[in-house]
């Protein structure tokens, strides 16, 4: 019942969570992004999903004459639906959230952003985005259509799970981990390098999971012709 004591294991988890809340003031982010008229600015949106949560995190990459600075500007996470959903579908939902958040950030900052890139570690999502939405079942088709209407295929990139900062949103992290994790604060290390040194993009698979494709039907018409005697 609602007024019963929690089991000891749950009480321990709750106490640990309260202790984490007390340390939140240790987590700081730069508000000054260092953008100047001579800066080259790009937006990088990472997304990820697990069976428990999905989310997205946004970074601005500011390239000046002497240096490259990458700062986190926005992050958002949501718990997964109560109804069971496959991981590839959740990755696609996370990609939709990334597009929504990415557009909100680029429209709100008042900064001239030259390019926006979307990064995912899901090959299924990358494959779906490159195809016609109508060949898939409704769940995938609707979300692929949403993404295709607002982005181009060239904006989407693959990133390994190890280098994906959005992984922290879906797996959970302590305040200490968020405070000391440079990938979370400033994005993956490769963003500080020239674009030519970013991860090489894998070849697209010929097919994704067949269960997401609509069944194709072939209609045949038989015509009978009577020959005159």
């Amino acid at each position: 019942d609602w007024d019963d004591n929690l089991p000891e294991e749950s009480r321990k988890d709750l106490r640990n969570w309260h202790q984490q809340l007390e340390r939140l003031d240790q987590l700081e982010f730069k508000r000054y992004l260092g953008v100047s008229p001579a800066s080259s600015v790009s937006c990088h949106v990472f997304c990820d999903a697990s069976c428990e949560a999905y989310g997205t995190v946004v970074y601005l990459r500011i390239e000046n004459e002497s240096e490259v600075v990458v700062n986190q500007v926005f992050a958002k996470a949501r718990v997964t639906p109560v109804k069971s959903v496959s991981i590839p579908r959740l990755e696609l939902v996370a990609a939709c959230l990334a597009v929504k958040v990415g557009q909100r950030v680029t429209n709100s900052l008042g900064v001239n952003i030259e390019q926006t890139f979307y990064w995912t570690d899901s090959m299924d999502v990358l494959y779906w985005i490159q195809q016609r939405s109508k060949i898939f079942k409704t769940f995938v088709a609707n979300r692929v259509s949403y993404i295709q209407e607002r982005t181009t295929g060239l904006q989407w990139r693959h990133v390994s799970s190890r280098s994906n900062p959005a992984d922290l949103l879906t797996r959970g992290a302590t305040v200490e981990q968020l405070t000391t994790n440079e990938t979370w604060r400033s994005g993956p290390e490769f963003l500080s390098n020239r674009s030519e040194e970013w991860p090489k993009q894998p070849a697209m698979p010929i097919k994704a999971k067949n269960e997401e494709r609509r069944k194709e039907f072939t209609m045949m018409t038989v015509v009978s012709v009577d020959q005159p005697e």
Side-chain angles (χ1 to χ4, degrees):
D1 291 337
W2 68 270
D3 58 348
D4 287 345
N5 290 329
L6 286 173
E8 181 56 33
E9 183 177 353
S10 297
R11 294 176 66 181
K12 180 180 178 181
D13 291 340
L14 186 59
R15 284 195 297 268
N16 290 337
W17 184 66
H18 281 158
Q19 292 172 358
Q20 290 292 314
L21 293 180
E22 295 174 358
R23 300 187 181 100
L24 276 177
D25 59 356
Q26 302 173 8
L27 192 59
E28 298 178 349
F29 293 91
K30 296 179 181 179
R31 296 187 64 185
Y32 176 66
L33 300 176
V35 179
S36 68
S39 300
S40 174
V41 184
S42 58
C43 180
H44 297 262
V45 189
F46 294 81
C47 58
D48 191 35
S50 71
C51 60
E52 297 179 346
Y54 62 96
T56 182
V57 57
V58 185
Y59 298 88
L60 276 194
R61 181 181 184 274
I62 301 100
E63 184 172 355
N64 300 309
E65 292 183 358
S66 58
E67 64 177 352
V68 174
V69 179
V70 182
N71 288 315
Q72 183 190 134
V73 294
F74 192 91
K76 188 178 187 66
R78 292 176 175 171
V79 296
T80 55
V82 176
K83 181 180 178 181
S84 178
V85 181
S86 69
I87 293 297
R89 284 189 171 194
L90 288 174
E91 294 275 14
L92 184 59
V93 172
C96 290
L97 180 63
V99 172
K100 182 178 180 179
V101 166
Q103 290 189 325
R104 182 189 304 173
V105 169
T106 55
N107 293 334
S108 301
L109 283 177
V111 176
N112 181 25
I113 298 175
E114 298 175 2
Q115 292 179 298
T116 299
F117 295 97
Y118 295 89
W119 299 83
T120 176
D121 54 22
S122 170
M123 290 298 294
D124 287 319
V125 169
L126 293 176
Y127 171 80
W128 288 333
I129 292 173
Q130 300 293 338
Q131 309 302 313
R132 294 177 300 161
S133 61
K134 66 180 182 180
I135 70 173
F136 301 114
K137 294 180 180 179
T138 303
F139 185 99
V140 172
N142 288 346
R143 287 157 181 82
V144 168
S145 179
Y146 176 89
I147 293 171
Q148 290 176 339
E149 289 172 359
R150 293 161 177 81
T151 66
T152 67
L154 295 177
Q155 289 179 271
W156 285 88
R157 301 289 186 95
H158 182 266
V159 62
S160 66
S161 298
R162 183 177 58 183
S163 299
N164 189 354
D167 183 75
L168 282 174
L169 293 170
T170 63
R171 311 296 175 182
T174 64
V175 173
E176 285 83 2
Q177 289 173 321
L178 294 178
T179 303
T180 59
N181 191 311
E182 283 301 315
T183 300
W184 171 249
R185 296 166 64 87
S186 303
E189 186 177 353
F190 66 79
L191 283 185
S192 298
N193 301 330
R194 296 179 302 173
S195 59
E196 294 82 4
E197 300 175 17
W198 294 353
K200 301 297 182 183
Q201 296 305 294
M204 285 292 102
I206 298 176
K207 287 185 178 181
K209 292 178 171 52
N210 288 330
E211 63 263 25
E212 296 295 353
R213 298 176 70 94
R214 291 182 183 273
K215 292 183 178 179
E216 297 180 0
F217 297 93
T218 302
M219 181 176 292
M220 299 181 63
T221 303
V222 178
V223 178
S224 176
V225 179
D226 293 331
Q227 295 293 336
E229 296 180 356

